[in-house]
Amino acid sequence: MDKITLGTRNVSIEFPGVKALSNVDFEIHTGMIHAVMGANGAGKSTLMKVLAGSNPDYTGDVLYNGNVVELRNPAAAKKLGIQIVYQEVDMALVPTLSVAENVMFNDMVMNMGHKQFVNYGKIRKDAKEALARLNIDIDVRRWCGTLTLAQKQMVLIARAVQNSCNFLILDEPTAPLSDTETEELFRVVRHLRETENIAIIFITHRIQEVLQICDSYTVMRNGQIVDTTPITSQTTSKEIVDKMLGRSFEENFPKEICEIGEKSFVVEHLNEHEGRVKDVSMYVRKGEIVGLAGLVGAGKTELCKTIFGVYRKSGGTITLNGKELKIKNPSDAVKNRIALVPEERRKEGVLVAETVTFNISAACLGDFCTLSFVNDRKTAQKAKEYVQSLSIKTPSVKQRVAYLSGGNQQKVAVAKWLAADCDVYIFDEPTKGVDVGAKQEIFHLINQIAKEGNCVIYATCENSELLSITDRMYVMFDGKIMAELETAKTTEDEIMHYATGSEEKFAG
């Protein structure tokens, strides 16, 4: 098959106070799987958005088969067969439309204005075929708002592949997927490369996946490309990380010693009214970091949201320092000094259209008020303190959070609750889409929260993180607690044994 090339020449782009790309030369051709890697804020997503037509204010040239093309809007990119699937899946889906309508969304929009009836039978048939190419069995009549994160991701990938596609850009595609779903995605990716000659570009922080699936990788740092290299049997994760950070990196995240006190936060026989959490009992001591382990869909997020009042509980009790809490909504949780840093930070954790200052003060605005007026000087000063102490990379506390990298958005979400001075901190997949450098900083921050005598709940699918940062953990499956494990005495094998639903005692 003939190769089609896509690339950039001397491409630069600036946002307010930030030079996101600086004279970038990049090239990829069809029939290859290529990773673009770098720390948060390195410029990788910005570069991909230029290729997808979503960053029209670039300077320099975009080249398609060696010819200069203007990619100043997504429609221009799609005409050349350039499709992108973004990390924040809920931003790209319409929850009140069916799976079929979301998969075929681009075709439906293109046909709008033509005076014709919508052939829903054909839409459902074409959507089923697109999903079948991914080997995914989802009822195309379901509303997208009822799907899991993993299913939503697959719907978006099906939408991209369903259209004429030469270059498929995937932004953190495996972040919401289980190991099984990730393997399915990799099978599809290999199929698209080998039989349809599509180029796949991965933006990812999961280095082991890069070594497993990609032919080559590009490393970006500070808006520039520092290296493009084929992947061989000699390529190591440490080699890639060192290039990303520009320095040698210690791979482990040692648990910092925290003084653990008395039992403080207790959940007993908790049930969620739709059955997503089933008879869960657990406790956290002061200064303790307790993990919630389990595969995607195990109920970790649902448990976190039920505790926080997002989901309604149908039974059970929640007690803090001996006092039973009545939590009917998130406002009640905040009043009782409970914080939740959610998995979907752009949708639920921060207000991306607002400034760093506004976000950090949002959970405790009353502390900055005189009578009915907000003291802007106090809020800005408090924001500056957290920007400095958490090393949040922003040109100003007046910067809109939308312009920050993923890792720095996560730090803003954490800073909001630090400013509110809570007793219980719940972290749901806090390092999702975060580079290894920012991950290290977040781990240190969580350890500091525990050292101050607070209770910490840490929910993640990443078993290596649980083994690094927690004192104890509860393993979940299908909304239930399968086992309570002491971190220092457990292994990844034991965690997976219970995470897959086994009720038998682990033999070791």
Side-chain angles (χ1 to χ4, degrees), residues 2 4 32 49 82 92 131 157 201 210 257 313 358 433 501 508:
D2 293 336
I4 303 172
M32 67 186 299
K49 286 178 181 178
I82 305 167
L131 288 166
I157 294 172
I201 307 175
V210 171
I257 298 173
K313 69 182 180 73
F358 184 92

Side-chain angles (χ1 to χ4, degrees), residues 435-477:
D435 70 76
V436 287
K439 183 183 291 189
Q440 198 173 41
E441 293 173 345
I442 289 172
F443 277 15
H444 176 69
L445 172 62
I446 291 172
N447 275 301
Q448 289 301 118
I449 291 172
K451 283 182 179 180
E452 292 174 4
N454 299 301
C455 299
V456 177
I457 298 173
Y458 190 98
T460 182
C461 295
E462 302 290 343
N463 293 335
S464 60
E465 294 185 9
L466 292 166
L467 292 169
S468 294
I469 195 172
T470 67
D471 299 291
R472 284 184 304 115
M473 68 183 79
Y474 295 92
V475 187
M476 296 192 69
F477 175 81

Side-chain angles (χ1 to χ4, degrees), residues 23-36:
N23 299 316
V24 170
D25 294 340
F26 174 78
E27 185 175 276
I28 187 174
H29 61 76
T30 50
M32 67 186 299
I33 304 173
H34 187 82
V36 178

Side-chain angles (χ1 to χ4, degrees), residues 358-424:
F358 184 92
N359 273 275
I360 290 176
S361 60
C364 56
L365 206 54
D367 295 345
F368 302 102
C369 291
T370 303
L371 298 178
S372 299
F373 299 96
V374 177
N375 188 321
D376 292 336
R377 184 181 59 79
K378 284 186 177 180
T379 57
Q381 181 58 40
K382 180 60 70 174
K384 287 176 183 176
E385 290 175 11
Y386 282 111
V387 164
Q388 184 175 6
S389 63
L390 302 184
S391 300
I392 299 173
K393 293 178 183 175
T394 176
S396 163
V397 293
K398 296 180 181 179
Q399 178 73 290
R400 286 201 298 169
V401 170
Y403 292 124
L404 303 185
S405 67
N408 287 302
Q409 288 180 359
Q410 190 71 299
K411 290 181 187 178
V412 170
V414 174
K416 173 179 71 176
W417 293 114
L418 290 178
D421 190 25
C422 296
D423 292 327
V424 180

